[in-house]
Amino acid sequence: MSGLRRVLVANRGEIAVRIVRACHAAGVEAVAVHSDADEGARWVRMADHVQHIGRSAAQKSYLDAEVLLKAAKEAEADSVHPGYGFLSENADFARGVRDAGLAFIGPPPEAIELMGDKATARRTAQSAGVPVVPGSGPCTDQAQAERAAADLGYPLLVKASAGGGGRGIRPVRDAAELREVLPAAQAEAQSAFGDSTVYLERAIPQARHVEVQVLADDHGNVRHLLERDCSVQRRRQKLIEEAPAPQLSDDARRAIAEAAVRLAEHVGYRNAGTVEFLVDADENFYFIEMNTRIQVEHPITEAITGIDLVAEQLRIGGGAPLSFDQDSVRARGAAVELRINAEDPQRGFAPTPGVVTEFELPGGPGIRFDTWIGPGDRVSPFYDSLIAKLVCWGADREQAHDRARQALREFRAEGIATTAGLHERLLAEPDLRRGPVHTTWLEHLLEE
């Protein structure tokens, strides 16, 4: 089906498990990689071939492009799937894979570069006729930022041009706060992304975060797979996602999806990507960024469309066309995803690495549980704290939420603290039960 023979999975954790399974379903061999800390992990045990790539620190293993390319060569892989995080949105890595004669199961490096710099992405979206939040061009010094802020008006967000995933963003309420925040924002951008350039963007009060999943192949097909609402966030990190976005008019859904496809076509996009928007109370929508990879929350799109996104990624990577047309994409029911992290909400969401002594999974109709964890596995302090994703489908939103609450009651993890209890409390909140919330709702709730 895919035209591929052997895929190196350049990632770890639940997404590595997910990709290995998709490879096997497509009749493709999977090569797992692992650091010292991940020896014997679930995705390693599942794979057809295994490559050790270095020490536990990510910089010495999963973020070392040279080591990953060497592993692909030694394993005689014909392609590389980067998953999400790590090097998934690194244009140099994608180019290195391509230059090595391998298929990169993701977008072309040129598209990654174009969308990776947020200020450039804004200008690109504007040129494609996609509305953007009023903002500035790149700001490299205080005077430039203050002039731009005076033109835009407050409140504003200071954003790292090379940022992504909710990182590198700081709110400012006035000129005095801008003078205080800008140097710290530039230092953070340099440290996190290797680029101190920032830009300013007008803050949209009580906005929803709505994103559109797109897929594009090498045969001129660009399709959207409806939208997701990702407004339940803490420090701009998503905790709960829903599909389709609740209480959004059909006109707004159609316009947002068409804008996402228009942008993907404009930049010559290939493979899976997500175009993200802010939506205000009047359903005006504004482009904020494009994530050039598979998303953590992709399972809820799979749940409502019946389309296997990773299988489609493999098809595209192997040169095949998409297996569906736009008219066949229809929402069936509703789905919600809860990100379960090894964090303690009672201690400021501090990570809780350690050995998992017990791990009981929920079940029943409409329940999917993506994880790499089992009893005896160790949650490492070296990597992201995400350990599982609980995905619940229902005939409607109410049933999906009811199933999620029941699944959380069945779930049990011992040896580490998790955010599962927080999810139980959030799903019981009247605001969330009634319908969509805005992106600062959870922050306000936690403060209260």
Side-chain angles (χ1 to χ4, degrees), residues 71 80-81 84 102 159-160 165 180 240 252 279 283 337-338 347 363-364 378 394 420:
V80 174
H81 195 310
Y84 56 71
L102 308 177
K159 291 191 168 188
E180 178 184 340
I240 300 176
V279 181
E283 293 193 336
E337 176 180 289
L338 313 177
R347 296 192 299 117
R378 177 179 293 275

Side-chain angles (χ1 to χ4, degrees), residues 111-132:
I112 296 176
E113 286 175 331
L114 197 59
M115 293 291 99
D117 181 277
K118 305 311 174 191
T120 302
R122 281 173 49 85
R123 293 194 298 271
T124 303
Q126 287 176 303
S127 68
V130 176
V132 302

Side-chain angles (χ1 to χ4, degrees), residues 192-203:
F193 309 110
D195 183 351
S196 64
T197 306
V198 299
Y199 67 98
L200 308 183
E201 197 172 83
R202 186 181 296 164

Side-chain angles (χ1 to χ4, degrees), residues 27 33 57 70 92 108 112 135 143 179 183-184 194 201 270 272 369 379 423:
V33 297
K70 181 182 177 184
D92 289 338
I112 296 176
R179 286 191 290 273
E201 197 172 83
R270 297 292 181 274
F369 200 85
V379 177
H423 283 303

Side-chain angles (χ1 to χ4, degrees), residues 21 27 31 44 74 76 81 93 100 119 136 142 175 180 215 245 306 324 338-339 367 380 394 399 406 425 442-443:
R21 284 177 173 154
V31 181
V44 176
E74 290 179 351
E76 298 182 348
H81 195 310
F93 180 57
S136 73
Q142 187 77 43
E180 178 184 340
L215 285 170
F324 62 95
L338 313 177
R339 300 191 189 192
I367 305 300
S380 170
Q399 186 180 54
Q406 176 60 34
R425 294 194 293 276
L442 179 56
E443 295 281 4

